[in-house]
Amino acid sequence: MNSTFTIRDWSAFAPGLADKAEWIAWAADPFLPQGDATPALAEMQPLLRRRVDRLGRMALQVAWWCQQGPDNAIPMVFGSRHGDLGRTYEMQRSLAQGEPLSPTHFGLSTHNAIAAQYSIARQLTGNCICVSAGTATAEAAVVEALGLLADGIEEVLVVVYDGPLPEAYADYRDEPETAFAWTARLARPQAGDVRYRLQVAGGQSDVDAQAARMLPHGLEVLRFLVGGLPMLEHQDDGRSWRWQRDA
């Protein structure tokens, strides 16, 4: 499978960061976004929008920004390490207390729920894949997109999003946390395009997986994609991932 791709368009949202100019400036001088800002998601019908929580709104908003045209059949890959874990935790707490579960809450807590809401709202008919792969979730999402491109698909919409763990899971936190979402339209590169390459090896690398990091890895990937860095390496579960940019 060809590991090379280009980006036709992208968008992102986190507290205090929305438009491309703000994100490019952030990539040059990164910080961990903080705050409770939520995008308006005015494009979505109010009846459907009320079903989506804050993190879901972020994911759907960036997808909407990046998919302006009527390309209803574009394949999509949604990647989230934790998904709507807050909703899942509340359902587990209700079960432990003998309270009845809401079918609506259960339906919206599944890992493909956000992608499904987007497909319903925009009446999309394309293939949709939802992935979760620990700190390498962004890598897994792009690998799925590369497979689709290798099969002849023209473009793939990749959406990566995540938020902080519920406080009950604080002992399991292994990277900085914040709420964020970004999307990119991946395509096979043509002459003159900026080329990106994602590769994986089975062994250890020089990357220190436990080194102190300022950002969750999903935002490190976004910084690489939009900030002009030549390379990004990541160690996860015995695999060494390497992102490269070729001008």
Side-chain angles (χ1 to χ4, degrees), residues 23-165:
W23 279 107
I24 291 171
W26 167 88
D29 187 15
F31 57 88
L32 187 67
Q34 301 287 346
D36 300 320
T38 303
L41 193 57
E43 301 90 340
M44 194 173 192
Q45 303 93 312
L47 182 63
L48 293 175
R49 187 172 62 238
R50 284 194 292 268
R51 295 167 57 86
V52 184
D53 67 1
R54 178 186 178 223
L55 184 60
R57 287 194 181 199
M58 290 185 181
L60 299 191
Q61 184 68 86
V62 298
W64 227 296
W65 284 341
C66 204
Q67 189 184 0
Q68 297 290 338
D71 43 357
N72 292 346
I74 185 172
M76 302 181 297
V77 181
F78 278 68
S80 179
R81 180 180 184 185
H82 302 300
D84 192 353
L85 193 56
R87 195 189 297 264
T88 302
Y89 171 74
E90 287 303 318
M91 288 194 301
Q92 292 174 331
R93 185 189 59 78
S94 296
L95 276 176
Q97 296 178 356
E99 300 172 355
L101 290 181
S102 162
T104 299
H105 285 320
F106 173 77
L108 292 173
S109 71
T110 60
H111 214 70
N112 65 344
I114 298 304
Q117 293 300 306
Y118 186 65
S119 295
I120 292 168
R122 301 206 65 170
Q123 299 182 346
L124 303 179
T125 60
N127 181 38
C128 182
I129 301 169
C130 300
V131 299
S132 174
T135 62
T137 292
E139 282 83 356
V142 170
V143 166
E144 292 288 350
L146 289 172
L148 291 168
L149 294 176
D151 276 346
I153 297 297
E154 292 295 325
E155 291 186 359
V156 181
L157 188 74
V158 173
V159 183
V160 176
Y161 63 99
D162 247 311
L165 289 171

Side-chain angles (χ1 to χ4, degrees), residues 156-233:
V156 181
L157 188 74
V158 173
V159 183
V160 176
Y161 63 99
D162 247 311
L165 289 171
E167 195 58 36
Y169 298 135
D171 290 344
Y172 299 97
R173 292 170 180 158
D174 58 4
E175 64 176 350
E177 294 185 333
T178 189
F180 70 91
W182 58 263
T183 186
R185 294 176 67 107
L186 272 57
R188 293 187 298 276
Q190 305 297 323
D193 287 338
V194 175
R195 294 170 180 257
Y196 302 87
R197 184 180 297 108
L198 174 61
Q199 297 174 310
V200 62
Q204 299 289 321
S205 75
D206 295 333
V207 179
D208 183 357
Q210 303 302 321
R213 297 206 306 265
M214 177 192 307
L215 303 170
H217 182 61
L219 279 183
E220 290 180 334
V221 172
L222 177 63
R223 186 187 177 209
F224 164 77
L225 294 175
V226 307
L229 298 175
M231 186 175 66
L232 172 67
E233 291 187 316

